[in-house]
Amino acid sequence: MTENEVAVINVGQSDFGELEGQRVTEFGSRAVREALLSSSVEPDDIEEAYIGNVATTAQDQTSVIGQAILREVGVTGIPVIRVENACASSTCAFQEAYKRVQSGESDIVLAMGVEKMTGVPTEVTLKDMAGAADAEVEGAMGMTFMGLYGMRANAYMNQFGNVREELADIAVKNHDNGLKNPRAHLQLNVDRDDILESRPISDPIRLLDACPMSDGAAAAVIARGEIAEELVEEPIYVDAAEMLSGNYLEEVEFWREELDERVAQKAYSEAGIGPDDLDVVEVHDAATIGELMHYEGLGLADRGEGASLVRSGDVMLDGRTPVNPSGGLKSRGHPVGATGVAQICELVWQLRGEAGARQVENPSIGLAQNSGGALVGEGGVSTVTILSNR
Amino acid sequence: MRQVHPDYNESSGLVVDGSIRIAADDNPVLIGTECSECEYVVFPSRPFCRNCLSDNVSDVELARTGHLETYTVAHTGQDGIEPPYAFGFVNLENVQVYSRFTEWKERSLEVGDQVELVLEKIKTDPETGEPLFGHMFRPMEEEQ
C-alpha cells in the first residue's frame, strides 16, 4: 500500500447502444450525474476533470466536449482536459486523474469517457477508427481494425493450433453475461453455431466475433483515500494504474501480446499481487481473439494456453477468474472513448457487490485491461488498472 | 510472369511516394532507408534513423522476396478497394512490411509462404478517379 492512496468514490454509466435522439452531451451528462448523485460529492467539489473521447471533433461537433458535458451538471470553472488515445482514451483519462490525486495536486477529480458512433455516416465512423492505425502505409493500403485481429488470429492458430471453437465460446460467454447487464448494447441469445455461421468480416474473424459500434458514456469520481473514506461507505482503492506504448523497433510476433505482458508486469508489481490473486477481470475484447490473447498477456494462462481457460470454464461468470462479467466490448458495446471507464464502473460495481444478476461471488481484487490503436501491427497503447475493496 | 502492372508508367501516382521504383532489370523494388551508423533498416524511407537518430542514412533496396508472417482476407473494407481483398505482413530479411496480396485466390495463403514483390494497382484515388499504385506481394510458385 502506498502513502498516497487513491480510491474511487463512485461511478456512473449511461446505457450503451444506439442512443437515437440523444445528443452526446445528454448521455454524457447522465453518466456524470449518476456518479455525483450516488455519492455525497457536490459539483463544486470536483477540482479537475479528464475526459476520454476520440471522434467529436472529427464529427464536426465540439472540440470542448468535456466542458459541454460538465456544463450540464454544474461542474464548471475548473481545469478540463480531453485525452485522446484511440480505444484506450478514457482509461488514459482515468490514469491522469489518478496521478493528479496521488501526487497531492488535487483531492477530488472526475474521469470520464464519452463517444457517439451511431447516427453519423458509417464512412465517418470508419475513418475515425482507421485513424487509430498508421495512416502512411497500412491505413492507406486498406488495413482495417478487424483485419488486424484477423492477422493476429491466423498467426496465433499457426503457432498454437486451431482455437476457432473456443473463440466462438468466448463470444457466447460474453453475450450470456451481457444478457444480465441491462445497460449492455447487444442483447443476444446466441450459441456456438450462431457465431461460427455468422458472415465473415476478416478471416477468421466473423461478424459475431466482433464488437458493435455503440454510443455511450461512463464516469468515475476519485479522491484521496482518507477523503473517500469520509464520503462513502465502501471506497474502491486504485492499487495500480499503468500504461505503455509498443516498441515498434523490432519485428512483431503477432501470436503474442508482448505489450500486455510488459504493462501487466508493471501493474502487478505496483499492486504487489499476481494474476492468481485476481477475482474479476475486464479485458479489451474488440474481437474474440483479443480476449484470448489478453488471457496470456495478463498471465492468466501461459502462452498458447489461453483456450484452456475457456474449456475449463475458469473465465465463466461462476469460474475461478471470471472475465468480462459486464459482457465486455462484445455485448456491452464499444463507444471507443467510453470503454475504459466503463470497465472501471463494472469493477467498482462487482467489488461492491452491486452487479445484480451478473455478480461474481465475493470478489476483492479486480483488473481492467484496455487497448488502443496499432502501428505496424503492434498495439498503440495497453493499459492495466487494478482495483480492490481492501 | 510480369511483375509490373501494365497501366503503370513514370507519371502514375503512388499511394506512398518514393516507396517503390523500377530497378535496372525492369522489375519493381521497394525502397527503404538504411542507417550507416547502426545498420537499422526502415520502410518507407525516413530522413534519419529512428534507432540511433543519426542522419547518416541512405536509400536501400529491400529484398524482393520474403515470407508471409501473417495475413487476413477482408470481406468488408475501405472506399476504393473492392472486397474481398487480402493483406498482411511480410518479412524481408531485415524489415517487416505491411502489404496487400494478389493472386491469393488462385493459391491460398498460409503463414510462412514464400512471397514475391509486384507493382500493382492499389486503389482508385477518390478525388481524381485515377488509379494509385504501390507494392503487393504474391505467393511464389512452388519449386518443382
Side-chain angles (χ1 to χ4, degrees):
Chain A
M1 286 177 219
T2 57
E3 215 170 291
N4 302 317
E5 291 189 317
V6 179
V8 180
I9 295 177
N10 230 321
V11 294
Q13 193 199 309
S14 74
D15 287 336
F16 275 19
E18 296 183 28
L19 304 179
E20 218 174 301
Q22 275 195 54
R23 296 180 64 84
V24 64
T25 45
E26 182 181 340
F27 62 80
S29 57
R30 282 180 190 278
V32 185
R33 180 171 177 267
E34 183 188 348
L36 293 174
L37 289 180
S38 54
S39 59
S40 45
V41 176
E42 301 289 333
D44 283 351
D45 296 332
I46 306 290
E47 295 165 48
E48 296 182 53
Y50 290 81
I51 176 160
N53 174 260
V54 173
T56 50
T57 307
Q59 291 166 351
D60 295 328
Q61 299 184 51
T62 178
S63 52
V64 285
I65 183 66
Q67 292 88 328
I69 288 169
L70 294 174
R71 178 177 68 167
E72 303 297 328
V73 285
V75 177
T76 57
I78 59 165
V80 176
I81 295 161
R82 170 174 157 163
V83 179
E84 181 180 336
N85 219 354
C87 306
S89 294
S90 63
T91 301
C92 296
F94 180 88
Q95 295 197 357
E96 288 308 305
Y98 165 77
K99 287 179 210 165
R100 295 294 286 175
V101 175
Q102 194 191 36
S103 70
E105 285 290 333
S106 286
D107 287 338
I108 303 180
V109 178
L110 174 80
M112 70 171 300
V114 66
E115 208 74 62
K116 173 85 181 155
M117 299 181 77
T118 73
V120 287
T122 306
E123 62 266 24
V124 173
T125 314
L126 288 175
K127 208 175 163 195
D128 296 340
M129 297 302 99
D134 168 82
E136 186 181 5
V137 180
E138 295 139 46
M141 290 197 170
M143 196 185 92
T144 61
F145 250 85
M146 281 304 142
L148 181 57
Y149 283 108
M151 289 189 278
R152 287 188 181 153
N154 277 333
Y156 186 93
M157 292 204 251
N158 179 69
Q159 186 82 8
F160 299 117
N162 193 330
V163 294
R164 187 47 272 197
E165 289 189 350
E166 287 85 351
L167 294 181
D169 291 345
I170 286 172
V172 171
K173 166 182 75 73
N174 291 352
H175 279 300
D176 281 350
N177 294 349
L179 285 171
K180 301 184 173 78
N181 181 357
R183 303 194 216 210
H185 178 179
L186 284 185
Q187 302 279 342
L188 291 181
N189 191 353
V190 287
D191 61 24
R192 184 193 280 179
D193 288 342
D194 294 327
I195 313 298
L196 296 176
E197 289 161 14
S198 62
R199 74 182 161 87
I201 298 293
S202 201
D203 298 341
I205 301 299
R206 291 175 175 269
L207 182 66
L208 289 177
D209 287 298
C211 68
M213 291 198 271
S214 321
D215 308 327
V221 179
I222 67 173
R224 209 141 53 79
E226 57 205 70
I227 291 171
E229 296 280 356
E230 285 168 24
L231 289 172
V232 283
E233 246 175 57
E234 199 176 0
I236 300 299
Y237 285 87
V238 184
D239 292 338
E242 296 289 349
M243 72 169 103
L244 288 173
S245 67
N247 275 330
Y248 315 127
L249 293 176
E250 287 150 30
E251 290 175 359
V252 181
E253 294 172 311
F254 286 87
W255 44 268
R256 177 180 165 199
E257 259 295 356
E258 193 267 345
L259 176 53
D260 270 18
E261 291 172 17
R262 284 188 288 123
V263 71
Q265 203 47 54
K266 282 193 82 174
Y268 290 138
S269 164
E270 185 185 350
I273 63 159
D276 289 345
D277 298 313
L278 300 171
D279 302 309
V280 57
V281 173
E282 288 274 311
V283 301
H284 195 87
D285 59 325
T288 49
I289 183 67
E291 176 162 330
L292 185 101
M293 291 179 67
H294 293 311
Y295 297 160
E296 298 174 19
L298 296 171
L300 300 176
D302 291 337
R303 284 182 211 148
E305 297 295 324
S308 68
L309 299 182
V310 182
R311 291 191 288 263
S312 66
D314 280 0
V315 290
M316 304 299 166
L317 205 51
D318 59 355
R320 194 168 57 91
T321 313
V323 176
N324 283 330
S326 66
L329 282 62
K330 183 83 234 345
S331 166
R332 180 185 55 217
H334 186 29
V336 286
T339 285
V341 172
Q343 293 178 322
I344 303 283
C345 290
E346 180 67 13
L347 291 186
V348 168
W349 290 322
Q350 290 287 347
L351 292 168
R352 282 181 174 162
E354 296 172 355
R358 64 185 190 283
Q359 180 64 49
V360 166
E361 198 184 338
N362 207 19
S364 57
I365 302 178
L367 177 151
Q369 184 281 329
N370 185 200
S371 304
L375 290 176
V376 286
E378 193 178 353
V381 50
S382 178
T383 68
V384 169
T385 313
I386 298 174
L387 304 182
S388 77
N389 59 17
R390 300 277 165 85
Chain B
M1 223 184 307
R2 188 158 164 79
Q3 294 171 335
V4 179
H5 193 281
D7 293 349
Y8 179 79
N9 60 50
E10 278 179 7
S11 61
S12 298
L14 291 175
V15 176
V16 186
D17 286 336
S19 61
I20 191 166
R21 65 184 175 217
I22 308 296
D25 69 356
D26 221 23
N27 283 325
V29 62
L30 286 173
I31 305 300
T33 298
E34 183 170 27
C35 177
S36 306
E37 309 287 340
C38 74
E39 298 180 352
Y40 190 83
V41 175
V42 64
F43 173 85
S45 57
R46 286 290 183 267
F48 54 82
C49 175
R50 66 167 63 143
N51 189 48
C52 76
L53 311 189
S54 167
D55 60 3
N56 188 6
V57 295
S58 52
D59 282 1
V60 61
E61 295 192 348
L62 304 183
R64 290 173 184 178
T65 62
H67 71 266
L68 185 56
E69 184 68 25
T70 189
Y71 70 96
T72 186
V73 175
H75 299 266
T76 63
Q78 290 183 353
D79 266 1
I81 303 175
E82 187 65 29
Y85 63 101
F87 57 84
F89 282 84
V90 174
N91 268 359
L92 302 174
E93 288 175 6
N94 42 15
V95 63
Q96 208 170 41
V97 171
Y98 168 85
S99 184
R100 297 257 305 278
F101 299 107
T102 184
E103 296 174 42
W104 55 273
K105 279 182 184 165
E106 295 84 333
R107 279 167 266 166
S108 65
L109 297 170
E110 294 285 346
V111 173
D113 279 355
Q114 285 297 115
V115 291
E116 64 182 341
L117 177 68
V118 291
L119 199 165
E120 263 293 334
K121 204 181 273 190
I122 302 291
K123 62 180 180 185
T124 306
D125 187 331
E127 280 164 23
T128 66
E130 294 292 315
L132 289 171
F133 292 86
H135 65 279
M136 282 201 197
F137 281 81
R138 70 178 172 209
M140 290 169 77
E141 303 274 6
E142 298 211 3
E143 286 176 34
Q144 299 298 314

